[in-house]
Structure formats: structure tokens, C-alpha cells
Amino acid sequence: MSVSVRGSFRRHRFTGPAVALSAALALAAALSACSGDGPPEKAYTVPGSLCGIAVEPALVKAVLPGGDSLTSATQKPNGGTVRCNLSVDGKEALSLAQAWWGG
């Protein structure tokens, strides 16, 4: 069964609002870029090892928030797990874990 639907909408009716919306979004993006409201700078350095766990510093830094200082704290909740909690400017930001299972 084939149904043909002919609507009264015409493509040109949506062109004006779409152009206006695009222009408004472009203007908002330009203004926010000029206002300096970007993400805070990451002034800290991520080492290659955190709590004894080898990491790729650039990958870890990419997921951390901006701030001035990075600190780490090690937890060993059981014999096979090492957990490393990272804080930026005193606020917990990321937890890394390494676990071993006996077989």
C-alpha cells in the first residue's frame, strides 16, 4: 500500500528562521570567544606515573579540569587493587585503578 502525502510546507518558509538562528549562534560563539570565558588553564604537570601506575600524561591531562595544582593519593582497598585518586586544587577530579585477579 502506497500513500502519497502532499504537504503545504514549502522549503523557503524555513530558510529565513534557519538563517537567523545560524547567525545568532555564530554571533554568540564569537562573543563568548572574545569574552575570555574559555575553560580554565591547566597550569599543573601530569607525571608519567601516578601512585605507581604508569600513565600517558597527555591522555590523563585531557580529562582533568583546569587548575593550578595536581595531587594524588593512593588507596589499597584489598590485596589486588591499587586505586589512585587525583585532585585538582583540592577537589577530587579522577580515580585510576589497577587490579589483579588470581587464577
Side-chain angles (χ1 to χ4, degrees):
M1 175 179 192
S2 175
V3 177
S4 175
V5 178
R6 293 183 183 220
S8 60
F9 295 109
R10 292 191 180 151
R11 182 164 268 158
H12 72 274
R13 287 186 182 180
F14 296 108
T15 303
V19 170
L21 179 60
S22 296
L25 290 174
L27 179 61
L31 290 176
S32 67
C34 293
S35 67
D37 288 342
E41 183 179 338
K42 298 176 183 181
Y44 49 83
T45 300
V46 176
S49 176
L50 295 167
C51 305
I53 301 171
V55 297
E56 179 63 43
L59 295 176
V60 174
K61 193 168 189 174
V63 299
L64 291 172
D68 294 321
S69 65
L70 176 68
T71 56
S72 62
T74 303
Q75 290 180 326
K76 295 182 180 182
N78 58 46
T81 303
V82 175
R83 189 170 292 131
C84 185
N85 298 316
L86 303 178
S87 297
V88 175
D89 294 343
K91 296 179 183 174
E92 192 168 321
L94 181 66
S95 182
L96 305 172
Q98 187 172 32
W100 295 268
W101 288 274

